[in-house]
Amino acid sequence: MASHFVAKEEPVRRAKLEEVEQDDSHRPAFLLSRTELKLLGIAGVGFFLDAYDLFVINPVATMLQYRLYGGHALPANLEGFVKAGANIGSVIGQFTFGYLADAVGRKAVCAYILLEMWHTTDRLDDADGKELMLIIIATILCLTTPTGTLSPNSCLIYLGVFRILLGIGVGGDYPMSASVTSDRANLRKRGTMLAYIFSNQGWGSFTGSLIFLIVLQCYRHVMETKGEVSKVDGIWRIVVGMSLIPAFGTLYQRLTLPESTRYQESQRVSDEEYFAEDEKKKKTEGVTVQERPVTMSPTRSGSSTDASENATAVHTEPPADPAADEKGQGSKAAAAEKKRQFAEFVRYFSEWRHFKVLLGTCMCWFLLDIAFYGINLNQNVVLQQIGFDGKTGSTAWEKLDRLAIGNIIITSLGFVPGYYATVLTIEYLGRWKIQFFGFLMEALFLGIMAGRFHQLSKAAFIVNFAFLQFFFNFGANSTTYIYPAEVFPTRFKAFAHGLSAACGKAGAIISALAFNSLSHKIGTPSVLWIFFGCCIAGAVFTLLLPEVRMRDPDVVYEEEEREKRRLKRQSA
């Protein structure tokens, strides 16, 4: 006899984080409740770590000059590889985790953004003690760079490889944090919440510069008085290792993050439509083997020979290990679900009205990151213009001290304020205006820097660069993250966001690898003109995007699907 498995019905429980979804208060959007602050802390750590890493790799590269090359510059190709390593990993993480978040759920994948799969697991949601934290492990491996045993070039390769691993974890947080936040946020405050999440990038940069300055002061005596320049090896390891604190601090919350009701509802509606179509297909094709009626031929003993034969034909011998059979069925079901998710994604974006939006988010992020990371991964060029590039001073410590002060100046002037200008105005100005005019303002200040690179005074250069950083963040750097989280329906949001973010990181990789070489060949002003062109092109691609303020993409998607079904019935 076929056995029937009845799922145990669990009591309905409302997760505390779902209070954000139900918030209908009328206070200003930028004032957050306690629950929203909790969500901000959980979802924002990835951006904090991303920006922290973006900042510290510049002073780390400078410190490695003294540790490995006697104060001389790093080889241009290896310097580009070390700086681009995390971005290379980010592309992998954004694409992979974005797809999985839509296919199997945010809760199942959230754990894996912070976990390294050292052992083979059969189900994605079996996150137990077998796995180790990916970001933490990658950071520790970076700290183990054997500068005293390997050759200088080998040390840079070693560091770059494990920075790729680090980037996979950090990159996976882009689609996850965006989906987790937008799934829960009240429609009136959705853009503000996403802007708050992204503002952690500014605090990551500021914290990194501050920690570098503080640790450097602690080493002043041993480096300046005793002349032990090799101790710089300890400074960069401490600065990099400090990122472990926020990673550990939010690990438990990330592993226990509940699934949002919005995602569950999108899956339920999609499943109902899928199984309705599947049932219709079954009726047209006939009865399946399991549903085939059994012809009973009574015998003297009251048993049925035909029945037992049919039972043998229909019901095969049960497996020796029921648990293994159940696990195998679960794996097949998960594989089928992923395949169906991808097919629906392709079907949705095969329509030009949807594809042009995806094209817009991808290209805007790609073009923005060429300019943004080209500037911020190579701040030494800017610091040189204002006299804080670490090349002036009588000792190695004095040079590093000036570099640390220069980084504090840059992050304080324009980097952090720009994010909060977006937080305060995004629900009033809208996303489209901030992105479009942000691109134009970035192009303006890049054009000034490119055209007057050698003529600007130190004060003028600082002011110009501060405005450039301000409009990066009160502009396309914020909105290219926010747009994919708001414009796409929940069912495809994470993967579409991951694709957009991966395109952005591809631009960052190109910029990181090519900036030094191009600067030597054609000069820094010519490279800045290339960034100017990227910003103009970004403004053009912004024309493909709609305004999404107070727009619920799930409602739009539902109306589109309803209209398709209506037209299909009429044509039939």
Side-chain angles (χ1 to χ4, degrees):
M1 179 180 293
S3 59
H4 299 279
F5 297 95
V6 180
K8 183 179 179 180
E9 187 174 350
E10 295 184 358
V12 176
R13 293 179 299 223
R14 183 175 296 280
K16 290 183 179 180
L17 281 175
E18 291 179 12
E19 295 173 14
V20 180
E21 300 169 337
Q22 306 300 325
D23 181 21
D24 60 352
S25 62
H26 297 289
R27 59 178 160 182
F30 55 82
L31 295 180
L32 304 183
S33 66
R34 183 176 178 181
T35 306
E36 288 167 336
L37 287 172
K38 181 180 178 181
L39 178 61
L40 177 62
I42 295 172
V45 66
F47 284 95
F48 182 92
L49 294 174
D50 178 49
Y52 188 94
D53 170 77
L54 170 66
F55 164 76
V56 299
I57 194 57
N58 286 303
V60 165
T62 303
M63 286 185 276
L64 288 175
Q65 292 179 10
Y66 293 101
R67 181 64 182 91
L68 299 175
Y69 295 91
H72 300 292
L74 303 180
N77 56 341
L78 289 179
E79 182 181 7
F81 174 65
V82 169
K83 291 182 177 181
N87 288 322
I88 294 171
S90 290
V91 172
I92 301 171
Q94 289 160 345
F95 186 85
T96 304
F97 287 114
Y99 170 69
L100 291 176
D102 282 341
V104 301
R106 284 73 158 130
K107 175 179 171 59
V109 179
C110 257
Y112 271 52
I113 293 177
L114 298 173
L115 296 177
E116 163 70 340
M117 293 178 285
W118 289 99
H119 301 275
T120 302
T121 54
D122 293 297
R123 289 177 55 116
L124 190 63
D125 52 353
D126 288 335
D128 53 26
K130 294 180 180 180
E131 300 83 14
L132 299 175
M133 295 165 290
L134 176 57
I135 291 176
I136 294 174
I137 291 298
T139 301
I140 292 173
L141 289 172
C142 288
L143 296 177
T144 62
T145 303
T147 53
T149 55
L150 292 180
S151 67
N153 288 358
S154 298
C155 286
L156 294 182
I157 294 172
Y158 183 100
L159 179 61
V161 167
F162 288 118
R163 278 177 53 76
I164 293 175
L165 186 64
L166 172 66
I168 294 175
V170 172
D173 198 75
Y174 272 71
M176 285 306 306
S177 63
S179 301
V180 164
T181 304
S182 60
D183 285 354
R184 289 173 168 80
N186 183 276
L187 193 62
R188 187 177 63 88
K189 303 176 71 172
R190 185 182 59 197
T192 302
M193 283 295 296
L194 289 166
Y196 265 122
I197 295 296
F198 197 69
S199 69
N200 281 277
Q201 195 177 67
W203 287 113
S205 298
F206 181 78
T207 303
S209 61
L210 186 62
I211 288 176
F212 174 43
L213 183 62
I214 292 172
V215 176
L216 189 63
Q217 303 308 311
C218 296
Y219 274 77
R220 179 172 186 174
H221 177 72
V222 70
M223 286 186 64
E224 194 169 30
T225 305
K226 294 185 176 181
E228 298 179 17
V229 179
S230 62
K231 294 297 183 181
V232 75
D233 211 29
I235 299 177
W236 78 261
R237 294 179 198 272
I238 292 173
V239 172
V240 171
M242 291 296 288
S243 65
L244 294 172
I245 296 175
F248 272 120
T250 56
L251 175 63
Y252 175 76
Q253 294 289 348
R254 294 302 297 266
L255 294 177
T256 58
L257 187 69
E259 196 68 86
S260 71
T261 54
R262 180 179 284 269
Y263 175 78
Q264 292 173 334
E265 181 66 18
S266 72
Q267 293 297 106
R268 184 188 67 78
V269 172
S270 177
D271 288 342
E272 287 178 356
E273 293 175 354
Y274 173 77
F275 287 117
E277 292 179 4
D278 190 54
E279 189 66 27
K280 190 182 296 183
K281 190 182 295 183
K282 284 181 180 179
K283 289 179 180 179
T284 58
E285 292 178 354
V287 185
T288 61
V289 175
Q290 286 80 1
E291 295 170 337
R292 186 180 297 126
V294 178
T295 304
M296 304 293 291
S297 298
T299 61
R300 290 179 183 179
S301 61
S303 62
S304 173
T305 306
D306 292 341
S308 77
E309 288 175 357
N310 283 326
T312 304
V314 174
H315 302 291
T316 58
E317 190 69 24
D321 186 0
D325 182 59
E326 184 177 348
K327 186 179 291 186
Q329 291 177 356
S331 300
K332 291 179 181 178
E337 171 63 21
K338 293 176 186 177
K339 185 177 180 181
R340 177 163 66 93
Q341 171 67 28
F342 184 74
E344 291 183 5
F345 181 90
V346 172
R347 179 180 63 84
Y348 178 78
F349 286 105
S350 63
E351 298 181 35
W352 169 246
R353 59 177 173 174
H354 300 144
F355 178 73
K356 73 175 182 179
V357 176
L358 182 62
L359 178 65
T361 58
C362 289
M363 287 304 301
C364 287
W365 209 333
F366 173 77
L367 294 164
L368 178 277
D369 275 8
I370 289 178
F372 179 77
Y373 280 87
I375 292 290
N376 287 285
L377 281 177
N378 299 279
Q379 286 184 355
N380 288 351
V381 175
V382 177
L383 293 172
Q384 182 180 2
Q385 293 299 113
I386 64 175
F388 288 93
D389 60 338
K391 292 184 178 180
T392 57
S394 58
T395 65
W397 185 90
E398 287 183 0
K399 294 177 181 179
L400 290 173
D401 184 56
R402 290 192 66 80
L403 179 65
I405 294 172
N407 282 304
I408 284 284
I409 292 172
I410 288 175
T411 55
S412 300
L413 286 178
F415 212 73
V416 173
Y419 291 106
Y420 287 94
T422 302
V423 167
L424 294 174
T425 62
I426 191 168
E427 302 298 353
Y428 303 99
L429 296 177
R431 290 69 166 154
W432 193 92
K433 288 181 180 178
I434 292 177
Q435 178 160 311
F436 182 78
F437 291 106
F439 266 127
L440 294 182
M441 294 303 292
E442 293 155 25
L444 171 63
F445 290 107
L446 281 168
I448 294 173
M449 287 176 59
R452 307 287 296 174
F453 189 76
H454 298 294
Q455 287 76 35
L456 288 173
S457 66
K458 185 181 298 185
F461 199 94
I462 292 175
V463 171
N464 189 85
F465 186 76
F467 273 115
L468 173 63
Q469 291 285 54
F470 178 83
F471 283 106
F472 265 137
N473 301 311
F474 179 40
N477 190 40
S478 294
T479 54
T480 48
Y481 167 76
I482 294 170
Y483 247 119
E486 293 193 285
V487 73
F488 300 116
T490 301
R491 182 142 185 86
F492 313 113
K493 182 191 304 176
F495 192 23
H497 197 285
L499 282 175
S500 303
C503 288
K505 288 302 182 184
I509 293 168
I510 292 171
S511 199
L513 294 177
F515 185 91
N516 289 324
S517 299
L518 281 176
S519 294
H520 290 127
K521 290 180 180 178
I522 63 176
T524 301
S526 297
V527 176
L528 293 176
W529 279 120
I530 294 175
F531 296 163
F532 169 87
C534 288
C535 291
I536 295 297
V540 173
F541 275 101
T542 301
L543 299 175
L544 295 175
L545 302 176
E547 176 54 62
V548 292
R549 181 176 54 181
M550 294 302 294
R551 179 181 184 269
D552 191 331
D554 290 326
V555 172
V556 175
Y557 176 60
E558 185 179 348
E559 291 175 351
E560 290 176 353
E561 292 299 301
R562 188 181 298 115
E563 180 65 17
K564 286 180 184 177
R565 289 193 294 270
R566 186 185 67 80
L567 293 174
K568 190 175 181 180
R569 285 195 301 268
Q570 288 181 351
S571 62

